[in-house]
Amino acid sequence: MLIIGLVFALVGALVHVYIFVLESVLWTTPRARSVFGTSEASALATRELAFNQGFYNLFLAVAVVLGTVLVGTGFTAAGAALVYAGAGSMVLAGTVLAVSSPAKLRAALIQLAPPLVGVVLLTLALVG
């Protein structure tokens, strides 16, 4: 169960790396504007905010990856703490998106579902 939980957390990390690329690298491109439903003008006006926000997503992904590596090398407590911090923040950010913008529920679920499953399975593996 531990490995499956970490795999789900890593899927969440991959989603957040993708979000990082969209926000910090591709924000003003037609692809990113289509994903986020922004116009060219609004994308240009919010480019600096999106750039910064993208890095938050990347850092959450890095925490999950580093935590997974630590768990895999026997540093279970430290690794789990990093996975919980990164994946838990992903879940909470997705929850905020779902509550604050119900029209973006699908995006919120994509953002929060894999890390949520990861956190639950990791907890069950560590408690059991």
Side-chain angles (χ1 to χ4, degrees), residues 22 26-44 46:
L22 286 173
L26 303 175
W27 184 250
T28 58
T29 66
R31 170 73 181 135
R33 291 195 329 262
S34 170
V35 169
F36 291 100
T38 58
S39 67
E40 185 174 4
S42 68
L44 289 171
T46 58

Side-chain angles (χ1 to χ4, degrees), residues 36-57:
F36 291 100
T38 58
S39 67
E40 185 174 4
S42 68
L44 289 171
T46 58
R47 180 175 30 205
E48 290 175 6
L49 295 170
F51 182 79
N52 189 35
Q53 183 172 307
F55 275 90
Y56 279 94
N57 286 297

Side-chain angles (χ1 to χ4, degrees), residues 6 8 39 43 72 81 86 95 98 111 123 127:
L6 292 174
F8 272 97
S39 67
T95 302
Q111 178 179 341
T123 301
V127 171

